[in-house]
Amino acid sequence: MSELELAVIIELLDRNGVVVSRHRCSELPVNIGRGYGNHVIVDDPFVAPTHVRIERRDDGVLVARDTDSRNGIHAVSRWSLWQRVTKPSTEIVLTPDTLVRAGHSTFRVRPVGYAVAPERLDKTSHGWEGMRPAIVALALLCVLGLFSAWSADTSTQENLLYQTSVATFVGAMLLWAGAWALLNRLFGGRARFGRHLLIGTALLVASLVTSFVAELLAYAFSLEWLSRYESYLSLALLSIAVYFHVATIMPLSLAFARRFAVALTVLGTATFAMYRYSTEHQLGDSLYMSSLHWPAVRMVAPTSTATFVDATANLKARADARRKDNAGSEEF
Amino acid sequence: MRLAEFLRLRHGMRSDRSGGVCRRAIAGSRAATACVLVASVVCAQGVAQTAPTATDIKPQELSRDATRIYERAKSSLFQVRVLTASGRSQATTGSGFVVGSGGLAITNYHVVAKLVLDPNRYVAEAVTASGERDDVTVLKIDVLHDLALIRIAKRRDWPPLKISSRALRQGERLYSLGNPLDLGFAISEGAFNGQITRPYYPQILFSGAINSGMSGGPSVDESGEVVGVNVSKRLDGEQISFLVPAQFVAALLQRGTAIAAQPSQQEFRSEIGQQLTTHQSMMADQLLKAPLATRAMGPYAAPINEMQGIRCWGDDPSMPQLKYHYSRLHCQNESVVGVEDALRTGFINVRHEYYATEQLDSFRFLQIYGKSYKNETFGSHRDRHRTGPECTDAFVKGDSQNSVPVRAVVCVRALRKFEGLYDFALMAATVDDSHSGLHTRMDASGVTLENGQRITKAFLDAIGRRP
């Protein structure tokens, strides 16, 4: 083995498992401790002046050996949440992923020949940061605000209708994106406010367009269910937006973002359904298809009044079944 | 009750008018349609009043006739108190009078409704002017005329009042007796002003004061014979009161004399169910004996429930600044059947709203038109008396030549306590134009499936364009 291959890198990690410093040591053994005579010096009051020695055993295995410290050394797993209280070991066999805790400090030892993951292809649009997405989002919000004001503009006395509407849309979205940017700053190190603003706005546009199209389809083909369960569609869209927000915060943990969004959808849908059932004894948003559209959109022929009225016999059966369903409130 | 006290109480009532008795059921000028029985049932509640102070007292001279009539009737008169069985606290108070031997007496159904519907939780007692008390049982009820035949349990020696069977003349003096607001026994004078023909059940228009707690008390003529039973008054009028004509008292007496003991809760319930069923079939038959009448709303023909006792009110609240036109028409039954405070049924109500625009594009017009269609409620499943609404909706078109396609939804709710009776609610919006349209809401309460279907179909068939 060449000298290069024998060299090791000692990595000191913080509590989150992020590397704080790396020390290249070309020959073993290596001493780690608080004292200035060590190869790697650790400023930790719970670490002995000379706490641990990294050496190669006679059989060639790399080990960490406790050098008579008070607190000892422990092999720990990556997730400190599941950390069990262990007795200190005198000797720990080091694999490239073994974490060793001495006092409050954690380190890992890897050979210089350690194989790293291949380079990832960078798909980030570096141009779509900051002002550019923010401007697009604000422009979209203005359009939305103006459109919403226009559709409510049915009286000649509506002062400031357009201004108020735009301000409402912009203000609400700034708050939404602001919250995500704060999370991004906390967990991702930077805010990416413009991106979050665009994601939120895109969701809003998508949900408005989707619900309008759904209503139109429901009306055209008399699909009552499509209109009555529209809220569930909006919930699904919200989860998609949450996925993109989380993926923006943690671009390297897309799987986590996906799981988070799916869990949120399931939880949100179940909560909403339970709420609807407890208040109205039904799961839909409304009792009937409630939006009306252009006569030309309607694709189905109207039924006869006789057929329609006959269907109320089923309603009678359903109502009869419910006759005693809140009997708790009164004796029958 | 001493006369001096009676006068004081009457005065107390006057000064108390705004504070005590009843609230308008329907606000504003529409209160003209106010439900009479709503008023009466509210009035029957015992309202705890503090006696007016001495400075309020302004004794008035009563006619000598009134003094004589009160003296004669007072021993047949009593207050009916419905009490909670557990705490014996007062739930409702009203009045009653003896009509036959063996303690047979009459009061309003709404006075003893709680006892009839829930005999496990309520009891009733009769209290005379001299303070004697006795238990009360209910023998027979007439929900439609709002009468109940009761029996005073032990004290069967109270003298009965005679039921008059003669025809009254307009302007004839009548005297109404009872215990207003639980203050003490009172007599008030007024005039007979004819029988009004409510949809099915005639009542006497009495121009005199009737107040809460006098419900169930007798109204007598100068000879002291009972001509009617105090039942209700209009809250939006002055001294507009109503009496149940004596002929229905006689009829009830005849039907109920043989009954020995109070029927069970279940028997009463099915009795009420039968009376409601009879009522709704009369109502449906009357409505559907000819094609529905229609009123013009823009180019549309809006079907209405033109029946005896229906009042229709139009409203055109379109404000000049609105870019669309909007007008309303609603027709309501003037009387409903009050089974319980929160259960009024046996009516058909109709409301139309017409929307049209010349200035707006179709997109914005349909937004407004659709919002109004969306903004309808059909009640909650938490209702004690009715199940939650079960609905079905579709595009529907009537059979007639002028029918137009509508988007319609029908919701059905069952009356929980009365099997076979339902509330039908229809909401329909015309969908043949993108710049105008008619919304129709029809509520038929307390009908059988068959009649609900017939009525719903009749309305759907009649919605259309004017020829």
Side-chain angles (χ1 to χ4, degrees), chain A:
Chain A
M1 262 193 255
S2 72
E3 193 186 302
L4 191 68
E5 280 164 338
L6 284 171
V8 293
I9 305 290
I10 305 206
E11 296 178 319
L12 294 181
L13 310 171
D14 69 9
R15 292 189 162 210
N16 297 318
V18 177
V19 176
V20 178
S21 62
R22 291 197 171 88
H23 305 267
R24 184 189 172 98
C25 303
S26 46
E27 51 187 60
L28 294 172
V30 171
N31 289 332
I32 302 175
R34 202 149 38 82
Y36 285 87
N38 293 295
H39 297 89
V40 176
I41 301 165
V42 183
D43 285 334
D44 179 348
F46 303 100
V47 166
T50 304
H51 196 116
V52 54
R53 186 159 72 242
I54 314 291
E55 59 186 30
R56 205 174 284 284
R57 257 181 359 207
D58 294 344
D59 56 0
V61 175
L62 205 59
V63 293
R65 202 180 294 284
D66 182 12
T67 54
D68 208 15
S69 69
R70 267 176 93 178
N71 293 320
I73 56 171
H74 304 258
V76 295
S77 72
R78 211 192 136 203
W79 295 95
S80 51
L81 259 182
W82 312 118
Q83 198 90 29
R84 275 183 297 165
V85 179
T86 50
K87 281 195 179 147
S89 323
T90 50
E91 184 187 279
I92 295 169
V93 174
L94 296 169
T95 68
D97 293 315
T98 308
L99 296 181
V100 178
R101 179 169 67 74
H104 284 195
S105 304
T106 311
F107 66 88
R108 165 170 84 191
V109 180
R110 281 179 174 173
V112 289
Y114 177 74
V116 294
E119 179 188 10
R120 284 200 204 184
L121 189 62
D122 186 4
K123 290 189 200 153
T124 317
S125 316
H126 291 277
W128 277 94
E129 296 287 349
M131 286 306 278
R132 208 184 284 187
I135 287 168
V136 171
L138 287 174
L140 270 173
L141 285 171
C142 286
V143 172
L144 276 183
L146 292 174
F147 177 74
S148 140
W150 174 78
S151 51
D153 182 10
T154 55
S155 152
T156 51
Q157 281 186 348
E158 302 276 15
N159 296 326
L160 295 175
L161 177 67
Y162 289 82
Q163 291 91 326
T164 327
S165 174
V166 170
T168 310
F169 273 89
V170 172
M173 196 48 72
L174 287 178
L175 281 176
W176 171 263
W180 285 107
L182 193 69
L183 290 174
N184 207 340
R185 184 80 181 79
L186 274 173
F187 298 106
R190 57 189 177 142
R192 303 188 87 180
F193 182 73
R195 281 225 171 191
H196 287 295
L197 199 64
L198 186 58
I199 291 169
T201 308
L203 158 81
L204 189 62
V205 174
S207 85
L208 290 175
V209 169
T210 315
S211 76
F212 185 72
V213 170
E215 278 182 7
L216 219 54
L217 278 176
Y219 185 83
F221 300 101
S222 195
L223 307 171
E224 289 80 18
W225 57 269
L226 188 55
S227 157
R228 289 182 52 197
Y229 295 95
E230 212 186 289
S231 295
Y232 294 91
L233 206 63
S234 304
L235 273 174
L237 280 171
L238 187 66
S239 309
I240 293 175
V242 166
Y243 167 77
F244 281 110
H245 281 301
V246 175
T248 304
I249 294 172
M250 295 185 277
L252 298 181
S253 325
L254 294 185
F256 170 74
R258 212 154 32 230
R259 277 199 302 269
F260 186 77
V262 168
L264 203 73
T265 316
V266 172
L267 204 68
T269 309
T271 312
F272 184 71
M274 279 193 303
Y275 168 74
R276 289 296 303 166
Y277 191 79
S278 72
T279 53
E280 303 288 333
H281 268 188
Q282 52 135 355
L283 301 177
D285 311 334
S286 65
L287 291 164
Y288 57 101
M289 187 182 97
S290 52
S291 64
L292 300 176
H293 296 280
W294 297 272
V297 172
R298 180 166 58 84
M299 294 291 146
V300 292
T303 53
S304 75
T305 50
T307 317
F308 179 64
V309 162
D310 280 346
T312 57
N314 297 330
L315 304 182
K316 169 196 177 286
R318 265 150 56 188
D320 280 338
R322 292 240 176 249
R323 212 182 266 278
K324 293 190 174 170
D325 64 0
N326 72 349
S329 64
E330 205 189 8
E331 43 172 319
F332 282 87

Side-chain angles (χ1 to χ4, degrees), chain B residues 63-82:
Chain B
S63 69
R64 243 180 294 156
D65 285 336
T67 320
R68 175 176 54 80
I69 281 166
Y70 181 76
E71 278 306 318
R72 195 193 292 175
K74 77 173 180 190
S75 51
S76 308
L77 199 61
F78 54 90
Q79 185 191 27
V80 180
R81 286 186 182 165
V82 175

Side-chain angles (χ1 to χ4, degrees), chain B residues 269-281:
Chain B
R269 199 169 278 183
S270 70
E271 170 78 36
I272 296 171
Q274 272 168 27
Q275 294 184 10
L276 291 175
T277 307
T278 311
H279 169 79
Q280 61 86 40
S281 71

Side-chain angles (χ1 to χ4, degrees), chain A residues 150 153-156 222 224 279 288-289 294 303 305 309 312 318 320 322-323 325-326 330, chain B residues 120 321 323 361-362 364 368 373-374 381-382 384 390 393 395 397 407 415-416 418 422 453 461:
Chain A
W150 174 78
D153 182 10
T154 55
S155 152
T156 51
S222 195
E224 289 80 18
T279 53
Y288 57 101
M289 187 182 97
W294 297 272
T303 53
T305 50
V309 162
T312 57
R318 265 150 56 188
D320 280 338
R322 292 240 176 249
R323 212 182 266 278
D325 64 0
N326 72 349
E330 205 189 8
Chain B
N120 299 326
Q321 71 267 26
K323 293 178 184 168
D361 47 284
S362 57
R364 282 188 283 180
I368 295 164
Y373 179 67
K374 192 174 195 159
H381 71 275
R382 296 214 170 97
R384 231 155 46 89
E390 300 288 344
D393 59 337
F395 290 109
K397 190 161 178 278
R407 182 72 201 176
L415 298 188
R416 291 187 194 273
F418 304 109
Y422 304 87
Q453 289 180 329
D461 280 337

Side-chain angles (χ1 to χ4, degrees), chain B residues 24-34 236 313:
Chain B
R24 286 188 176 186
I26 300 168
S29 63
R30 267 189 276 161
T33 64
D236 50 343
W313 299 87

